[in-house]
Amino acid sequence: VGKKRTLEVEKVRASALRVMRYNQQLKSLSDEELFGKFDADGDGVIGEVDFQQFFAGAELTIRPLPSGDNESALTEGATEEANSAEKLADGKKDEEVMELLPEDLADVFVTLCQLGEKHISQEEFFCVLPQYMIVVKQTAMTDGLCIKDSKTLRRLELDEIVKVVKGPLQESATKVMRTLIKALKDDAEGWVSPTGNAGTIFLKEGGRQFKVMKENVLTETFELDGEASKANEEEALGEVLSKRKLKPGEVLDALVWPRTDSSGLVRLKVRAQSDHATGWVTVVGNQAGKGPVFLKAV
């Protein structure tokens, strides 16, 4: 497959994932229920026919989801008809139609299968379904959707990775899109504005892939072995060498999100894009979080 086609398929894949997540929220489906919508024949996996059938029946026009807040009271003297007309006009302006051709979806399906497989397992489905975002500018996470009435829970720091729980939803008072997120580093949950009302970008989609910044290795287990984990992280990596070294510049897909092992190393389960080698890798050293950075989210 040529580079141009690869980029085209990546673009369609992103659109397909948007449609999946939109339909999930639109119909208030759990991850398991959405998987069931794909797995129409109930055999426990998603084949290509299942995959194509889902999109044939899915809602492909993405519109702002209703926020459910009650802030948008009618201005004095306005009629309900005028308000309805304005909402309809806004909805048309903000809607986006996803074009997903069967031949493109066939190529996307291949990218979602494990190497050598012809179906998508439930485990793989649950890995690709969630949306993650990276903080590109410090911003506040609040306890409510409505900015005016909510309190700040904490600030999101630069390069933090968060998981989208719900949204984006339009806050009716400011027309700002708000997203309910969960911060991966401490599981704190709250509302954020990925883009401010002046167009400032605070969060962008990303965090599923990591770039190798410093030579590293894959290991089979989460914990480094006893002796190695007592050494400093660079020596440890040398002692727990697996068959697969990671070179600077390589791109890895995240499978299990970063967490800290018993020796204080931040570890992540990944799959290398180049050869699908899978294992655990150290993201950052254990010197009070100020050790060498081996991987960077992209």
Side-chain angles (χ1 to χ4, degrees), residues 6-24 38 51 54-55 58-62 96-101 104-105 108-109 111-112 128-129 131 205:
T6 299
L7 292 174
E8 290 172 348
V9 172
E10 280 299 314
K11 187 175 179 180
V12 178
R13 171 175 163 144
S15 295
L17 287 169
R18 280 190 68 193
V19 168
M20 289 162 59
R21 295 165 186 151
Y22 177 73
N23 279 263
Q24 180 180 25
F38 274 91
F51 192 72
F54 173 84
F55 288 100
E59 176 56 68
L60 301 181
T61 301
I62 295 179
E96 187 175 357
V97 180
M98 299 289 108
E99 185 178 357
L100 300 173
L101 301 176
D104 292 334
L105 286 171
V108 169
F109 175 77
T111 71
L112 297 176
V128 300
L129 180 61
Q131 180 184 8
E205 185 163 4

Side-chain angles (χ1 to χ4, degrees), residues 13 35 111-115 119-130 208 255 271 276:
R13 171 175 163 144
F35 182 83
T111 71
L112 297 176
C113 295
Q114 289 269 24
L115 190 63
H119 60 258
I120 304 169
S121 67
Q122 188 178 70
E123 180 182 9
E124 193 71 14
F125 183 82
F126 290 164
C127 281
V128 300
L129 180 61
R208 283 191 161 279
L255 300 178
R271 179 168 59 215
H276 283 224

Side-chain angles (χ1 to χ4, degrees), residues 208-274:
R208 283 191 161 279
Q209 296 175 339
F210 286 75
K211 186 175 183 179
V212 179
M213 307 301 293
K214 185 178 176 66
E215 188 172 292
N216 208 335
V217 294
L218 291 174
T219 63
E220 291 184 5
T221 59
F222 171 63
E223 293 279 354
L224 296 176
D225 86 16
E227 290 304 311
S229 62
K230 293 176 185 174
N232 84 31
E233 56 273 3
E234 294 194 54
E235 292 173 357
L237 289 170
E239 292 180 22
V240 194
L241 270 184
S242 69
K243 310 169 229 177
R244 180 71 164 81
K245 280 191 177 183
L246 298 171
K247 299 292 184 182
E250 281 199 69
V251 179
L252 314 171
D253 292 324
L255 300 178
V256 178
W257 295 98
R259 57 181 195 254
T260 305
D261 74 0
S262 59
S263 66
L265 297 175
V266 179
R267 305 270 287 158
L268 172 76
K269 190 172 185 180
V270 299
R271 179 168 59 215
Q273 287 193 353
S274 59

Side-chain angles (χ1 to χ4, degrees), residues 1-68:
V1 179
K3 185 175 181 180
K4 182 181 177 182
R5 181 56 182 163
T6 299
L7 292 174
E8 290 172 348
V9 172
E10 280 299 314
K11 187 175 179 180
V12 178
R13 171 175 163 144
S15 295
L17 287 169
R18 280 190 68 193
V19 168
M20 289 162 59
R21 295 165 186 151
Y22 177 73
N23 279 263
Q24 180 180 25
Q25 291 200 49
L26 195 63
K27 298 169 184 175
S28 301
L29 301 175
S30 67
D31 290 355
E32 291 77 9
E33 288 170 336
L34 183 63
F35 182 83
K37 294 290 185 183
F38 274 91
D39 181 23
D41 57 10
D43 63 355
V45 295
I46 300 169
E48 187 180 343
V49 172
D50 296 329
F51 192 72
Q52 295 277 6
Q53 284 180 346
F54 173 84
F55 288 100
E59 176 56 68
L60 301 181
T61 301
I62 295 179
R63 303 178 178 87
L65 292 162
S67 64

